[in-house]
Amino acid sequence: SIQMPSAALLKRDWQKQHVYMVQYPRCRILPNLSPWSFKLETWLRMADIPFTNISNEFKKFSLKAQVHPVELNGRQIADSNIIFSTLKEEFGKSDMDPTDPKQKALDRAFNTLAEDRLAWALFALRSKTGGASIALSDDGWGRYHGTGLKRRFTQFMINIMNKKLVTDRANAQGMDIHSPDDIQEIAKEALKSISIFLGNKPYFGGNHPSTLDATMFFHLAQFVFTPTPNGILTNCVKETYPNLNNFVGRVKDKYWPDWDETCTTMNMNAHHKKE
């Protein structure tokens, strides 16, 4: 639940009705490699809610020891489901989700397809083919790890922890038991279904973006902007299902006009203000 104000707040001189979003530092290849951070920041931009990013510097966590809390009106919110429900209520953004029961059911189903199928297929595939090292490169978070021995030692320890975390979670999810070829087929089938669902619509929510669009943007952007094994899944999005590639470009151009600047800066504490 929402925590009461305390000394643990990262932003003590907060502004009323302004979201302070705590997330990992910026990356060059994507604004952030964290699915949760990328999804929430995209949603805040779509909903036109004023917010400020605060870097957790890989060590600042919520009162519940969670990685990506937000702070609002002097309170810290740490659970992802509560964060979205609270922000929708506080800022009157219930229209970011469908009201029709059938459409709500479809949104839930495709959200699950993206987060529990497509995402884990890519995690497992990179774990098996060595692609997970992108997070440790300078295009990922490598530039924050110092130089020389310090960098090598830091990345050695992170690589061990990440490999164990990703492998263990992929095993628990069931994706890691498949061969790389089988995993690519699973991802292709998921992309095909997502492409069919999007169709010719500008957004998954129709003419206006929804919470599902924020979710899909991160998961699809990975295939467009980060390397995939042999480029097979990247080509799948860009060539086989061009409506998915067009969707990524559409959201990027409209809601991330500062994309290039964001990906090159190491200054996380940037503002997004309502026009």
Side-chain angles (χ1 to χ4, degrees), residues 30-45:
L30 287 173
N32 207 300
L33 292 177
S34 164
W36 164 244
S37 292
F38 203 118
K39 172 183 176 178
L40 178 58
E41 184 169 353
T42 299
W43 185 88
L44 288 168
R45 289 166 177 257

Side-chain angles (χ1 to χ4, degrees), residues 142 144-158:
Y144 300 99
H145 297 155
T147 58
L149 284 175
K150 178 183 177 182
R151 174 170 176 146
R152 288 198 293 271
F153 177 75
T154 300
Q155 295 198 338
F156 174 75
M157 296 304 296
I158 291 174

Side-chain angles (χ1 to χ4, degrees), residues 5 15 22 28 40 45 63 98 106-107 180 189 221 248 267:
Q15 299 175 28
V22 184
R28 287 175 179 164
L40 178 58
R45 289 166 177 257
L63 299 175
L106 283 170
D107 274 25
E189 285 301 312
V248 170
N267 176 24

